[in-house]
Amino acid sequence: MTRVLVVDDSTFMRNAIASLLEQDPEIKVVGTARDGLEALQKAEELDADVMTLDVEMPRLGGLETLQRLMKASPMPVLMISSLTESGAESTLKAMEYGALDFIPKNMSNDRDSFGLELRRKVTALARRKAIIRLKYRRINNIAVPAAPLTRAPAQPADYVQTPCYGPRDLVVVGVSTGGPPVVQKILSALPADLPACILVAQHMPAAFTGPFAKRLDSVCSIGVTEAADGDRLKNGHAYVCPGGRHISVRMRGPLPEVAVTDEPRDALYKPTVNLLMESAGKNMGRRTLGVMLTGMGSDGCDGAKILKEKGGCLIAQNEASCVVYGMPKAVIDAKLANQILDADDIAQAIMTIVKG
């Protein structure tokens, strides 16, 4: 049973979120709070597995609440965000402060879809409770239990990793749930003179990808922008696909360029990682390094097969460092990953491979 604490200053939203969560018999809302101070008090009293947290609240806002929570009663947090630029910026900052994921407030458009996504994310985040508590106890210099937590191994015991040889001047990244912090961790560790271009397909609403790219650009040595159709591939630069659209690689004569399109319109995810991986493999072949990061589902696996067939190589994030071990697991189960690495080690691997 997943136990949830719902925090929102709107009575309507508290009741709606609680009702939608409890449509799953395996989820129980153990408490609600109308502001940050009440949330912190109830977080100490209730043994919740996940907190859903609004950004804008009276007395104590979501960001301040989150910072205090991670010092006093750390737990997985799902941000409930408004679909505005300020809401996007606050939500991305919240993920730097420790929130694991977010869901936009678009209940009025499609209540059933919102509820389904809400339940899926809450259930996934609940599995990280023990890891989050241990992590923040260490950060806060609080004594941790003598017995170590049982953690996933760095890689499957029977998995045979193969070397990735370079140089490779295109890096294509697929990522979803829990992605923004790990993308920032990786890109911010890369040098300005990286001899490769990076394309990022992050499952994210359209209102968020622009602020996400700006935030990355402000903390990274490489340049980061939201991609536009026809952008030239530039070394030392990363392009983030606009939410609700797709990113791929196409050839303009002998030169590759970025394609940002609405096709395929029937794709389950927009952007779809499958298209990015497939197009990079077909057009760039052995010049391509694929990176599959945390995310729910298996988007990207079919495209990764083509990338590998065309001579590309692939890094997959390991289970222990994923918020949701779905997309990397799919490529690992299909024996497509050349290397399986912790999030902390991926930037160094990228630098080594692209430089050859």
Side-chain angles (χ1 to χ4, degrees):
M1 180 70 70
T2 299
R3 298 164 56 84
V4 184
L5 174 58
V6 175
V7 184
D8 199 293
D9 66 327
S10 163
T11 301
F12 169 78
M13 283 300 299
R14 290 197 303 275
N15 292 339
I17 290 171
S19 175
L20 289 169
L21 285 171
E22 290 193 331
Q23 288 181 18
D24 184 335
E26 293 301 313
I27 297 177
K28 180 178 178 60
V29 175
V30 294
T32 63
R34 59 191 172 186
D35 59 44
L37 294 178
E38 187 177 0
L40 293 172
Q41 179 183 343
K42 291 193 173 182
E44 290 189 3
E45 298 171 354
L46 305 170
D47 185 26
D49 300 309
V50 179
M51 176 187 289
T52 69
L53 181 60
D54 188 22
V55 174
E56 301 294 335
M57 295 184 298
R59 294 209 297 169
L60 192 67
L63 294 179
E64 296 85 358
T65 301
L66 182 61
Q67 288 175 294
R68 293 193 193 182
L69 178 76
M70 290 306 176
K71 291 180 180 178
S73 306
M75 69 176 70
V77 174
L78 177 69
M79 302 302 297
I80 310 293
S81 173
S82 61
L83 280 170
T84 63
E85 184 170 341
S86 63
E89 290 171 352
S90 295
T91 300
L92 293 168
K93 186 174 288 290
M95 298 188 75
E96 288 185 16
Y97 292 166
L100 291 186
D101 201 14
F102 69 94
I103 184 169
K105 280 185 182 177
N106 58 354
M107 195 184 310
S108 59
N109 294 335
D110 192 339
R111 182 185 175 96
D112 290 341
S113 295
F114 175 84
L116 177 61
E117 189 71 4
L118 177 68
R119 292 187 293 272
R120 289 175 64 199
K121 291 196 172 195
V122 162
T123 300
L125 265 55
R127 301 189 184 107
R128 303 291 295 178
K129 180 181 179 180
I131 299 298
I132 288 294
R133 286 192 168 175
L134 180 61
K135 173 183 176 181
Y136 280 92
R137 281 174 177 166
R138 286 174 172 162
I139 289 173
N140 298 326
N141 293 317
I142 298 172
V144 299
L149 285 173
T150 301
R151 292 187 56 140
Q155 64 185 66
D158 60 345
Y159 199 91
V160 178
Q161 299 193 50
T162 54
C164 270
Y165 295 111
R168 297 175 187 264
D169 57 357
L170 176 65
V171 180
V172 290
V173 179
V175 59
S176 185
T177 307
V182 73
V183 172
Q184 180 170 319
K185 177 193 290 282
I186 292 167
L187 296 192
S188 64
L190 299 175
D193 62 351
L194 184 79
C197 182
I198 302 174
L199 305 184
V200 180
Q202 161 80 62
H203 296 163
M204 185 179 277
F208 284 74
T209 47
F212 182 45
K214 289 179 182 177
R215 172 166 285 275
L216 290 173
D217 189 58
S218 72
V219 300
C220 293
S221 297
I222 63 171
V224 184
T225 55
E226 191 174 36
D229 190 57
D231 280 337
R232 293 291 184 182
L233 300 189
K234 296 186 296 186
N235 287 353
H237 197 92
Y239 295 101
V240 176
C241 182
R245 306 195 74 194
H246 301 296
I247 190 169
S248 59
V249 180
R250 68 176 173 226
M251 301 304 294
R252 181 75 68 182
L255 298 175
E257 68 179 19
V258 178
V260 176
T261 64
D262 295 318
E263 299 293 340
R265 295 181 183 274
D266 60 351
L268 179 60
Y269 300 104
K270 296 180 181 181
T272 174
V273 181
N274 277 323
L275 177 63
L276 175 58
M277 295 275 176
E278 178 180 344
S279 66
K282 287 181 176 179
N283 290 302
M284 301 286 282
R286 295 187 59 82
R287 295 168 63 180
T288 308
L289 168 62
V291 180
M292 194 71 74
L293 302 177
T294 176
M296 208 175 291
S298 61
D299 183 30
C301 187
D302 290 341
K305 291 177 185 177
I306 295 171
L307 183 147
K308 289 297 294 293
E309 288 170 0
K310 299 297 183 179
C313 70
L314 190 70
I315 293 172
Q317 186 178 352
N318 68 0
E319 182 178 2
S321 64
C322 281
V323 172
V324 179
Y325 185 55
M327 289 162 57
K329 183 179 188 299
V331 299
I332 291 169
D333 287 349
K335 306 296 184 184
L336 298 173
N338 295 76
Q339 297 181 25
I340 304 169
L341 299 174
D342 189 273
D344 290 338
D345 300 323
I346 292 176
Q348 182 59 55
I350 290 173
M351 287 186 281
T352 300
I353 293 166
V354 300
K355 291 179 180 179

